[in-house]
Amino acid sequence: MTTGAVTLRPAQAAILTYSGGQLAISAAPGAGKTFILEQLAVRLVEDLGVRPAEILILTYMRSAALNLKQRLTRTLAARGLTAFGLQTTTIHGFASSVIRRAAGDSDSGMLVWSEAERRKNLQEALLEWLEDPLHQQMWQAYGQRDGGGDEREDPQAVVLRLAEKAIAEAKQARLSEADFQVAVVDHHPALPALYRGYLARQQAAGAYDYDDLIREANAILATRDDHRAYHQRRIRFVLEDEAQDSTPDQQALIRWLTEPALGGSGNLVRVGDTNQAIMASFTHNSPRYFRAFCQACETSGRHMPMAESSRSALPVLAMANALVAFTAHHPDPVVREAFTGQPILPATAGKPNPSLLAPITWTFYEGARRDDAAAQEELGVLTAVRAFLRAHPTARAAVLVTSHKLRMAYAQRATQLGIPLQQGVSQGPSQRQCLRFLAHVLTFLSLPLEEPAASWRPLVEEWAQLCRTPWQNPRALRQFLARHPSDSLLFPLADLPPHRPEDFPAADYLALLSLCRGLRALLRVRHLPPGELFPSVALTLIDDPQAIAVAAKAAVIAQRKAASDPTIELDPLRRLADEVRTLAENTEDHRDLVPTPADTREATPGTLSVLTLHASKGLEYDAVWIPGLASAYMFPWDPDQVSFRDQAAFCLEQALRAPPGAPFDLAAARAAAQRLLVAEKLRLLYVGMTRAERALHLSGAGTSETLPPQVAQLASLCERVTP
């Protein structure tokens, strides 16, 4: 089916007949989840007359939300329609908006602690607890116990990690302080004090952490009928991406918005793939919620599988399907249900499946010791990658590994071998750069209009560095600025800017005029409250989503600090600029003002990406190498092969998940967790294989070729390569 310039596959065409109610979409890897969400939203607006502001699209990551909003804006604009008011956000972002509205207009804004800020406050609580000599003795006594972690790790880091896990679990279970103390009494003597200290600091700062947001939003929607009715009236359609990674709290939030019995519209579309659920280990994410939703929709004929995929060559799809089919015969009933059993089908319309560049291969590296074999595998894999990129200089390659330690080792060796690596996660400016530049702009905006030159030159010089387009001729720029006062550029007579000298590059001249237009627009809105002004500065002059998030967070912190001592006689905007400048200098405390987004950029042709299997989800490459498959520790088949590296954290987590006062069976909890982890490791391997478009290479290393059964099955289907 063809709609406009878009060719639809049969399942996609059926999905786009949706006009309301519940709909479950099971989408295979490469089936076009983002595309179908985009097309659904366009249909609602264009064909059904739904206002964009009545649509809420929930994504797992901020970068995915931004990407989808940009796509929708372009698609609707091409059809003469607007996307104004359409919400594409993470579920945490939406929860924040519910909380802010319930709190009313606040001068100080809403403060959400990043992970770095949470760790900093916990560390302060720990140091405070250790000031007591008795506590130091207790610390030393517990330090002799085997926590099951890395013996080389800093003991304080171990306890802080335990405390973070304990606080998150306690908040999820809504434990009282007394119940928390009972649950952790045998794990570490500092935990009750850290819990109290952390909550006290959080209350004093008026801050939320990410564990609070959805629960607080649920509490508002459950107890305040007026707010629930407002959001239900405003949001008529909810579209949820990555639904396989839902949590109980997320389920509840969506129910408050859409459940007809609670006043909702009943219009809910959930898109996901339980075969790619890889976030469940040691979290409350679980594919069972989306599976239950699919089963409920199946009974009413509103479950639509989207199984056709054009991402990978047919042999790659066959390998992924073979893993699913083999797992269906696992002796353990829990592991047997790791996958839904839905096979990936080749595309019948639209973009065709690519052809293989080379056969799918299996290589085993054998050595007298496991470490020697692993070193041979690392060198062999990267040598093959280098040869591939030389033969295919525009291809994108990836090595997918199971841990950050392996990722660093492979990346370091790749550099030594001269293999061009994909650049780091963030292409945009650092958070410190954003803050420093924001302070420059605020200082500039705080000056009287007739005196803007005081902060003019540093602002101009730093702007180009921030936008990653350095001035071509900084010396000519400085000379130009010295000859022309800022007002001649900001407010040129008859809209004619000063003449460009011959030695001043045209690109620099045009960039400077663009900066001046932005500053001129900001001068008109400098009266806005910081919560609106700071992000406006980032949006106007930097246009980077991470910079906008940093500016919004800085507005809250700077405004609160400025308000804490109103006796200082400074212009409010100048005072805020000083606070932001202090924030920028305080890099140790605020190096992670907002979470760094995952890298969802398309890989650069001719480069190698080295990343973990978890981080590869949502990405795709011409060729993929997955080493380490011979290790039953990394890819177990038997639940008894599963061991937990951090025994202390596992035991603490299970103790906090047990109902207060109920008998706790650690052995049963361990056995259940082992089964679930085997299932997730199988799905992780499935995700890794389905990242490959035109080449897939599997390998293992050891003292003998004794492979986990699922790996042996896959290896038997590959062309064997002798190292």
Side-chain angles (χ1 to χ4, degrees):
M1 175 181 176
T2 301
T3 172
V6 178
T7 299
L8 300 175
R9 299 166 192 156
Q12 294 171 336
I15 288 167
L16 292 182
T17 63
Y18 171 81
S19 60
Q22 290 192 339
L23 178 64
I25 303 173
S26 299
K33 291 192 291 89
T34 303
F35 168 79
I36 205 65
L37 282 171
E38 174 194 352
Q39 293 300 313
L40 266 175
V42 169
R43 167 172 162 73
L44 292 174
V45 174
E46 185 175 33
D47 297 341
L48 302 183
V50 178
R51 291 187 297 112
E54 296 175 320
I55 301 172
L56 170 65
I57 304 179
L58 298 172
T59 66
Y60 193 75
M61 295 189 299
R62 281 187 293 133
S63 54
L66 178 65
N67 174 53
L68 188 53
K69 182 64 177 286
Q70 291 172 338
R71 289 176 59 154
L72 276 165
T73 300
R74 289 194 298 267
T75 302
L76 288 170
R79 303 185 186 197
L81 300 168
T82 179
F84 180 75
L86 189 147
Q87 300 179 78
T88 59
T89 180
T90 64
I91 198 161
H92 286 92
F94 176 74
S96 299
S97 70
V98 173
I99 297 169
R100 284 197 300 270
R101 186 179 189 278
D105 293 329
S106 171
D107 289 339
S108 58
M110 179 180 173
L111 180 61
V112 181
W113 277 347
S114 66
E115 290 186 12
E117 290 169 303
R118 181 172 65 180
R119 175 63 67 95
K120 171 180 175 288
N121 281 277
L122 269 174
Q123 189 169 37
E124 289 176 354
L126 176 59
L127 294 176
E128 184 178 288
W129 183 79
L130 285 171
E131 289 175 359
D132 188 321
L134 177 61
H135 293 163
Q136 292 182 19
Q137 294 176 16
M138 296 167 66
W139 174 274
Q140 294 296 331
Y142 270 78
Q144 304 303 317
R145 296 173 55 171
D146 179 18
D150 188 339
E151 293 181 356
R152 295 168 297 178
E153 193 171 6
D154 177 9
Q156 286 196 18
V158 173
V159 174
L160 291 175
R161 188 174 65 247
L162 284 177
E164 287 178 313
K165 168 66 70 175
I167 291 170
E169 291 293 337
K171 289 185 174 185
Q172 177 70 35
R174 296 165 178 80
L175 292 182
S176 67
E177 187 175 322
D179 287 335
F180 177 85
Q181 184 154 349
V182 169
V184 304
V185 65
D186 293 327
H187 294 273
H188 198 285
L191 290 178
L194 292 183
Y195 185 53
R196 290 192 301 272
Y198 179 81
L199 293 183
R201 284 169 170 76
Q202 198 177 355
Q203 184 176 12
Y208 296 87
D209 62 27
Y210 283 95
D211 294 322
D212 300 321
L213 295 177
I214 301 179
R215 282 190 290 279
E216 180 67 18
N218 279 331
I220 291 167
L221 296 176
T223 59
R224 300 182 63 172
D225 295 346
D226 56 335
H227 285 278
R228 183 172 71 250
Y230 166 81
H231 291 289
Q232 289 171 340
R233 284 194 308 271
R234 184 168 181 236
I235 300 168
R236 289 177 52 205
F237 290 86
V238 175
L239 314 182
E240 180 194 12
D241 192 14
E242 303 290 359
Q244 77 276 355
D245 292 320
S246 193
T247 68
D249 283 336
Q250 292 175 15
Q251 295 279 112
L253 182 59
I254 291 173
R255 184 168 178 264
W256 285 118
L257 293 175
T258 64
E259 177 63 45
L262 300 173
S265 66
N267 300 323
L268 171 62
V269 179
R270 305 185 73 186
V271 184
D273 180 11
T274 56
N275 288 353
Q276 297 188 79
I278 57 174
M279 306 299 295
S281 292
F282 312 112
T283 71
H284 291 276
N285 304 79
S286 175
R288 67 177 181 269
Y289 306 117
F290 183 55
R291 282 180 177 169
F293 182 76
C294 291
Q295 290 167 1
C297 289
E298 186 77 46
T299 60
S300 58
R302 302 182 71 82
H303 174 216
M304 296 189 179
M306 204 164 61
E308 292 185 29
S309 171
S310 61
R311 171 186 295 163
S312 305
L314 300 188
V316 176
L317 301 185
M319 288 290 288
N321 289 336
L323 177 62
V324 172
F326 187 72
T327 303
H329 301 287
H330 196 284
D332 187 279
V334 174
V335 180
R336 197 182 304 149
E337 296 179 356
F339 299 103
T340 61
Q342 173 179 291
I344 313 173
L345 303 178
T348 60
K351 175 187 172 185
N353 292 83
S355 57
L356 277 181
L357 285 172
I360 298 178
T361 63
W362 164 258
T363 308
F364 184 76
Y365 298 84
E366 187 170 354
R369 298 186 309 126
R370 180 171 293 277
D371 288 348
D372 295 336
Q376 292 178 37
E377 181 180 28
E378 180 184 284
L379 179 60
V381 165
L382 292 173
T383 301
V385 169
R386 183 172 60 184
F388 173 82
L389 289 176
R390 286 175 177 173
H392 306 280
T394 61
R396 300 152 299 138
V399 174
L400 309 181
V401 294
T402 55
S403 68
H404 290 289
K405 181 179 179 181
L406 280 173
R407 180 180 63 82
M408 296 299 294
Y410 269 84
Q412 183 176 6
R413 177 62 71 90
T415 301
Q416 293 170 355
L417 293 175
I419 300 173
L421 287 176
Q422 172 77 356
Q423 294 303 309
V425 169
S426 176
Q427 286 184 309
S430 72
Q431 297 192 23
R432 187 182 183 191
Q433 281 180 301
C434 292
L435 292 170
R436 194 168 57 225
F437 180 71
L438 179 61
H440 281 314
V441 177
L442 293 174
T443 300
F444 176 81
L445 296 178
S446 71
L447 297 172
L449 289 179
E450 64 273 12
E451 300 178 15
S455 61
W456 177 239
R457 181 177 292 180
L459 186 156
V460 172
E461 293 184 349
E462 191 156 339
W463 174 71
Q465 297 293 331
L466 194 71
C467 298
R468 301 299 171 98
T469 54
W471 300 109
Q472 294 181 12
N473 190 335
R475 181 171 175 273
L477 170 70
R478 286 191 289 271
Q479 291 176 345
F480 185 79
L481 294 177
R483 287 195 297 267
H484 300 283
S486 57
D487 56 352
S488 69
L489 288 161
L490 289 167
F491 309 104
L493 296 176
D495 289 332
L496 293 175
H499 176 72
R500 177 180 70 87
E502 289 186 5
D503 63 341
F504 192 25
D508 285 356
Y509 180 71
L510 293 175
L512 179 61
L513 296 183
S514 173
L515 171 63
C516 291
R517 283 193 297 270
L519 289 170
R520 188 160 60 245
L522 290 170
L523 283 168
R524 299 190 190 104
V525 298
R526 60 181 177 176
H527 62 280
L528 290 175
E532 296 178 42
L533 176 61
F534 285 30
S536 295
V537 170
L539 177 63
T540 303
L541 299 180
I542 309 174
D543 195 20
D544 177 86
Q546 183 79 344
I548 296 168
V550 169
K553 180 74 171 285
V556 176
I557 296 175
Q559 196 170 5
R560 289 189 177 197
K561 288 188 175 180
S564 65
D565 188 359
T567 60
I568 298 178
E569 295 184 1
L570 270 182
D571 174 84
L573 208 52
R574 175 68 68 86
R575 176 75 188 279
L576 289 170
D578 288 348
E579 295 295 350
V580 172
R581 190 169 290 106
T582 301
L583 197 59
E585 294 168 357
N586 205 359
T587 54
E588 287 304 310
D589 288 349
H590 298 284
R591 59 186 178 275
D592 237 351
L593 207 62
V594 297
T596 300
D599 190 2
T600 58
R601 293 176 291 126
E602 185 175 346
T604 304
T607 64
L608 168 66
S609 299
V610 182
L611 61 166
T612 64
L613 284 157
H614 276 98
S616 73
K617 190 173 181 299
L619 305 176
E620 51 194 48
Y621 303 90
D622 293 289
V624 167
W625 281 258
I626 306 179
L629 292 178
S631 169
Y633 171 78
M634 296 178 182
F635 296 98
W637 177 257
D638 186 342
D640 290 338
Q641 294 172 325
V642 173
S643 61
F644 303 106
R645 185 184 68 84
D646 195 334
Q647 297 286 343
F650 174 79
C651 294
L652 176 61
E653 173 192 74
Q654 299 304 316
L656 287 165
R657 290 188 178 187
F664 173 51
D665 188 340
L666 179 60
R670 187 188 306 276
Q674 287 172 319
R675 291 182 173 90
L676 292 174
L677 189 58
V678 170
E680 184 166 312
K681 291 285 190 179
L682 288 165
R683 293 193 292 267
L684 194 61
L685 178 55
Y686 176 89
V687 165
M689 291 193 298
T690 55
R691 301 311 96 195
E693 294 179 350
R694 300 191 290 164
L696 176 62
H697 305 283
L698 310 177
S699 64
T703 56
S704 63
E705 194 167 354
T706 303
L707 306 176
Q710 78 279 23
V711 176
Q713 171 69 12
L714 295 175
S716 70
L717 303 175
C718 298
E719 180 177 300
R720 188 177 184 93
V721 175
T722 302

